[in-house]
Amino acid sequence: MIVNRPGRVRATIQVPPDKSISHRSLIFNAIASGSAVVERILESEDVRSTAACLAALGADIDWPEGSATARVSGSGMHSLFESDSVLDCGNSGTSMRLLLGLLAGQPLFSVVTGDASLRSRPMGRVITPLRQLGASIQARKGGTLAPIAITGGLLKGIEYASPVASAQVKSAIALAGLYADGETTVVEPEKSRDHTERMLSAMGANLRRDGNRITVAATARLEPLSLRVPGDISSAAPWLVLGACHPDAEILLEGVNTNETRTGLLDILAAMGASVERLEERLSGGEPVADLLVRTSRLKGATVSGSLVPRAIDELPLVALLGCFAEGETVVRDAQELVVKESNRVETTVDLLTKMGARIEARADGFVVHGPTPLHGARLDGRGDHRVGMLAAIAGALADGETRIDNDAVGVSYPGFWEDLARAATGGMIKA
Ligand code: S3P
């Protein structure tokens, strides 16, 4: 793709449906007792991977190609069958980790795998607790990497202190906990996104929360959960950053999920002095939703650390870009999780912005950006990581000269991204 800086940015964008909630709506409803309708489900490569794996396990999912509505007809907690082939999670860590939690409770033999990126991402973080619960799991590299073979069965509840703040780990253990004898508790070092807790509670699961601690008890039956999926704040993020940094911008983002476990970027933008208004605050599908209006802003540097990190984890590459337009130093620390995302996002973010003229240094747990620095168009590689592909696009739309982007992978979470970018810029600015 080729991107140039537009003179002016004006747009109203209906932000695509939330990826995390879309995955969960399929997985949880697949083991519910009855039919659920999921409206505005995200049709992206990652969510299709989850649907395909569940279908291979015998789940009844009616989700025609190109449709924003999926019907899931669950036949109970023990209704899945053994698949006669491997379960391919593609690029999706959420699919793999949550499915492993589900499979731990099934007396079935399954093999899960994914693309080269996913096969290099750490799976020991779910394999260790799922083995403690009683699942039998073999995996490459000493039980840490996919492909993974799992045979579930009789589980017994555990108390597990997760070394990482990860909603995928928490959700995998919670799913297995539904099938385990007694209670299963997960404690996280910081609070991660809580869609699993909200959705499973709404479905009647026996689940308690206490700060960073959740406890689930054996659950014999889940009620189906029909919902309309709210907009994904992680897909609103590129526009929030474009709007704040571009010299003549005003962008209205409609229907964004403002669940406070996800709104770290809004807090970071506020600390940096950005103008973002929350309008029409409402509830949708058990989640808070608002329209967000972002305008050209004067930014100052900020430090992102601690509990803010999991609340903005997928947006941190874009925070580095904000730092290029902010006066002073922008620091991201405590974010060593960035290294094990779809790419090593410390490295890919620093490489990409350095190529464009940014003053940015990598750290083991984040990066430091010195701003402001004008960015220049460059030839960029998204490295097959959707968040890096979108970072490249927005950086290109803020740089002088032309930016060329290969391997953008935006279809993983935001299939209409390039069309929305073209619309945001009056006069059209991108070419395939
Ligand atoms: C997700 C959790 C986060 C996030 C990912 C989606 C989820 O990962 O980065 O994009 O849906 O649970 P971790 O759980 O590894 O932090």
Side-chain angles (χ1 to χ4, degrees):
M1 306 303 289
I2 298 176
V3 181
N4 285 287
R5 181 170 54 202
R8 192 167 181 264
V9 179
R10 291 287 182 281
T12 297
I13 293 174
Q14 227 208 17
V15 174
D18 190 275
K19 180 158 78 70
S20 294
I21 297 173
S22 296
H23 282 296
R24 287 161 172 76
S25 70
L26 296 176
I27 297 172
F28 301 167
N29 277 313
I31 52 166
S33 298
S35 286
V37 178
V38 185
E39 289 175 285
R40 261 200 111 233
I41 189 166
L42 174 66
E43 189 171 23
S44 78
E45 291 160 22
D46 268 15
V47 182
R48 280 285 174 194
S49 294
T50 288
C53 291
L54 289 169
L57 290 163
D60 184 352
I61 297 176
D62 177 15
W63 183 16
E65 194 118 336
S67 168
T69 302
R71 284 184 175 71
V72 188
S73 304
S75 306
M77 304 286 293
H78 295 280
S79 59
L80 300 178
F81 299 111
E82 202 162 78
S83 169
D84 63 3
S85 188
V86 298
L87 303 171
D88 186 354
C89 299
N91 189 244
S92 174
T94 308
S95 309
M96 183 171 284
R97 296 196 178 108
L98 269 61
L99 285 172
L100 284 168
L102 176 68
L103 291 167
Q106 316 293 322
L108 313 171
F109 170 78
S110 310
V111 178
V112 297
T113 190
D115 70 7
S117 156
L118 189 54
R119 292 195 310 274
S120 72
R121 295 179 64 191
M123 293 298 147
R125 55 180 59 192
V126 288
I127 292 174
T128 299
L130 294 177
R131 277 181 177 158
Q132 285 177 21
L133 274 147
S136 164
I137 307 176
Q138 283 77 41
R140 210 159 53 81
K141 288 267 156 83
T144 60
L145 298 181
I148 301 166
I150 177 167
T151 306
L154 291 180
L155 306 181
K156 202 167 162 26
I158 57 169
E159 167 144 354
Y160 188 72
S162 174
V164 283
S166 161
Q168 294 177 1
V169 171
K170 175 175 63 179
S171 304
I173 298 170
L175 272 167
L178 297 176
Y179 292 89
D181 194 28
E183 289 194 336
T184 299
T185 297
V186 193
V187 187
E188 299 191 275
E190 303 285 359
K191 198 170 186 166
S192 64
R193 64 191 65 190
D194 68 354
H195 309 300
T196 291
E197 294 90 308
R198 287 172 186 250
M199 293 172 76
L200 286 180
S201 295
M203 296 174 82
N206 203 335
L207 188 150
R208 303 195 297 279
R209 318 163 64 157
D210 179 13
N212 297 356
R213 183 185 179 91
I214 71 158
T215 299
V216 292
T219 299
R221 180 189 161 91
L222 290 177
E223 297 306 323
L225 180 68
S226 290
L227 73 158
R228 189 177 163 79
V229 180
D232 196 327
I233 195 161
S234 297
S235 299
W239 314 120
L240 289 169
V241 173
L242 177 64
C245 298
H246 189 279
D248 182 5
E250 189 170 303
I251 307 175
L252 179 66
L253 301 161
E254 290 183 328
V256 182
N257 182 359
T258 49
N259 175 325
E260 66 144 39
T261 61
R262 298 288 301 280
T263 49
L265 180 66
L266 297 183
D267 294 355
I268 296 165
L269 283 162
M272 295 179 84
S275 163
V276 181
E277 281 178 63
R278 290 193 200 201
L279 310 167
E280 310 282 337
E281 296 192 69
R282 54 206 188 263
L283 273 177
S284 168
E287 297 270 355
V289 168
D291 298 340
L292 302 176
L293 179 63
V294 59
R295 292 195 181 93
T296 303
S297 307
R298 250 183 108 87
L299 301 175
K300 55 180 189 292
T303 294
V304 175
S305 64
S307 59
L308 199 45
V309 168
R311 294 179 55 237
I313 188 69
D314 294 333
E315 290 67 75
L316 296 178
L318 286 162
V319 172
L321 179 56
L322 281 171
C324 297
F325 289 83
E327 192 74 47
E329 213 172 65
T330 295
V331 181
V332 170
R333 61 166 172 260
D334 304 330
Q336 49 283 350
E337 276 297 296
L338 286 176
V339 172
V340 293
K341 292 296 176 186
E342 286 83 328
S343 68
N344 174 343
R345 288 185 183 158
V346 170
E347 190 188 295
T348 43
T349 298
V350 170
D351 281 3
L352 187 144
L353 292 175
T354 300
K355 278 208 178 86
M356 303 183 84
R359 289 183 291 145
I360 179 168
E361 292 144 35
R363 296 274 188 273
D365 64 345
F367 34 73
V368 178
V369 190
H370 309 274
T373 317
L375 297 183
H376 312 297
R379 177 140 204 166
L380 304 174
D381 191 337
R383 310 258 198 115
D385 179 341
H386 56 133
R387 306 275 176 224
V388 178
M390 288 187 264
L391 168 68
I394 301 302
L398 291 168
D400 57 42
E402 185 175 275
T403 293
R404 288 171 165 262
I405 304 165
D406 294 317
N407 299 319
D408 63 76
V410 299
V412 159
S413 62
Y414 198 153
F417 176 78
W418 293 110
E419 289 75 13
D420 283 350
L421 181 52
R423 270 195 315 108
T426 48
M429 54 186 273
I430 62 154
K431 293 197 284 266

